[in-house]
Amino acid sequence: AQKITQTQPGMFVQEKEAVTLDCTYDTSDQSYGLFWYKQPSSGEMIFLIYQGSYDEQNATEGRYSLNFQKARKSANLVISASQLGDSAMYFCAMREGGQAGTALIFGKGTTLSVSS
Amino acid sequence: NAGVMQNPRHLVRRRGQEARLRCSPMKGHSHVYWYRQLPEEGLKFMVYLQKENIIDESGMPKERFSAEFPKEGPSILRIQQVVRGDSAAYFCASSTGQGYEQFFGPGTRLTVL
């Protein structure tokens, strides 16, 4: 079974609108972490936001927030007030277990296109 | 403070040649991870190393691939006798091993002709 599922291959949004990118995960661990990364066309991986499984509040970083619904095993990324520079591929990832030195498991990504 | 460095950024090899990809972690980081991204796919874990030790190589193909992280110098991912299916972007990430974040390098794009 897929550990990280991103069901939206592509999303389209207009500038200044908010957009939600979906991510569901599958793990039997009680301790885990969820990440979102942005990959622009230049190819680098840019860390956006992190949510720990024991964090009670949803993570926020500027225009990014993570809508964490533990019971549903979902960790959707919300981008408020989209900008043209937000056009990129977005990956959801998970670290299983409580150890910091654990590899990340990535979803297949969602391509976001922001138009003016 | 320089970030994670990878070189070369682009590498072209013919089938049967060897590819060597280098990764210099961030200063103070002793944990290195290698990931591979095939076209239109997410990143897939390959190997996790600490200085002079391979901790987890569960994602490494059994043949032709090897990795090291010597006491001095960068981590090296080595692919022997490359085939067209090895064409991909190879990312290195580093961490202190304490916190949760892994810092990614810019990647090496390998093309096998």
Side-chain angles (χ1 to χ4, degrees):
Chain A
Q2 295 261 358
K3 292 270 188 178
I4 296 285
T5 302
Q6 294 181 254
T7 56
Q8 308 152 314
M11 288 288 283
F12 298 87
V13 69
Q14 289 211 307
E15 263 187 305
K16 298 177 188 171
E17 290 184 352
V19 62
T20 298
L21 306 183
D22 294 342
C23 173
T24 56
Y25 59 92
D26 183 24
T27 183
S28 55
D29 287 350
Q30 295 300 308
S31 178
Y32 53 89
L34 297 154
F35 303 73
W36 277 92
Y37 285 85
K38 172 184 178 181
Q39 187 177 42
S41 57
S42 50
E44 70 269 32
M45 294 291 287
I46 302 167
F47 167 75
L48 295 178
I49 198 165
Y50 168 80
Q51 179 89 39
S53 58
Y54 293 120
D55 295 341
E56 293 186 354
Q57 296 209 329
N58 286 345
T60 59
E61 289 285 350
R63 293 185 300 110
Y64 304 108
S65 60
L66 199 151
N67 184 1
F68 182 44
Q69 299 195 30
K70 200 168 181 176
R72 293 185 180 182
K73 293 191 173 176
S74 76
N76 298 339
L77 177 70
V78 180
I79 305 175
S80 62
S82 298
Q83 301 172 356
L84 293 177
D86 294 334
S87 294
M89 181 79 98
Y90 288 80
F91 291 99
C92 179
M94 176 173 65
R95 169 187 56 76
E96 287 185 297
Q99 303 280 342
T102 307
L104 299 180
I105 303 164
F106 284 83
K108 294 194 172 187
T110 295
T111 302
L112 176 65
S113 301
V114 181
S115 59
S116 55
Chain B
N1 188 12
V4 178
M5 302 184 65
Q6 289 187 249
N7 66 80
R9 296 290 305 276
H10 299 275
L11 182 61
V12 179
R13 286 286 177 265
R14 295 192 180 280
R15 280 179 296 169
Q17 291 184 321
E18 178 179 288
R20 280 191 180 226
L21 288 62
R22 293 175 190 77
C23 168
S24 296
M26 285 180 70
K27 189 176 180 181
H29 287 193
S30 58
H31 296 237
V32 164
Y33 309 79
W34 285 94
Y35 294 84
R36 176 166 65 175
Q37 184 180 28
L38 294 170
E40 310 300 321
E41 295 281 325
L43 278 67
K44 293 265 185 343
F45 166 72
M46 299 181 75
V47 62
Y48 163 39
L49 309 103
Q50 294 179 24
K51 284 283 187 183
E52 300 185 277
N53 286 307
I54 296 175
I55 307 301
D56 180 359
E57 56 181 346
S58 58
M60 284 275 269
K62 293 286 183 281
E63 297 177 352
R64 303 188 297 107
F65 286 72
S66 62
E68 61 176 10
F69 189 15
K71 189 176 178 182
E72 302 290 338
S75 175
I76 307 282
L77 179 68
R78 184 177 171 210
I79 312 171
Q80 295 178 292
Q81 299 174 329
V82 295
V83 300
R84 290 222 173 103
D86 297 333
S87 295
Y90 292 82
F91 287 91
C92 163
S94 75
S95 74
T96 62
Q98 306 284 331
Y100 55 79
E101 190 174 347
Q102 294 179 15
F103 295 83
F104 280 82
T108 293
R109 270 117 191 115
L110 172 65
T111 302
V112 180
L113 301 177

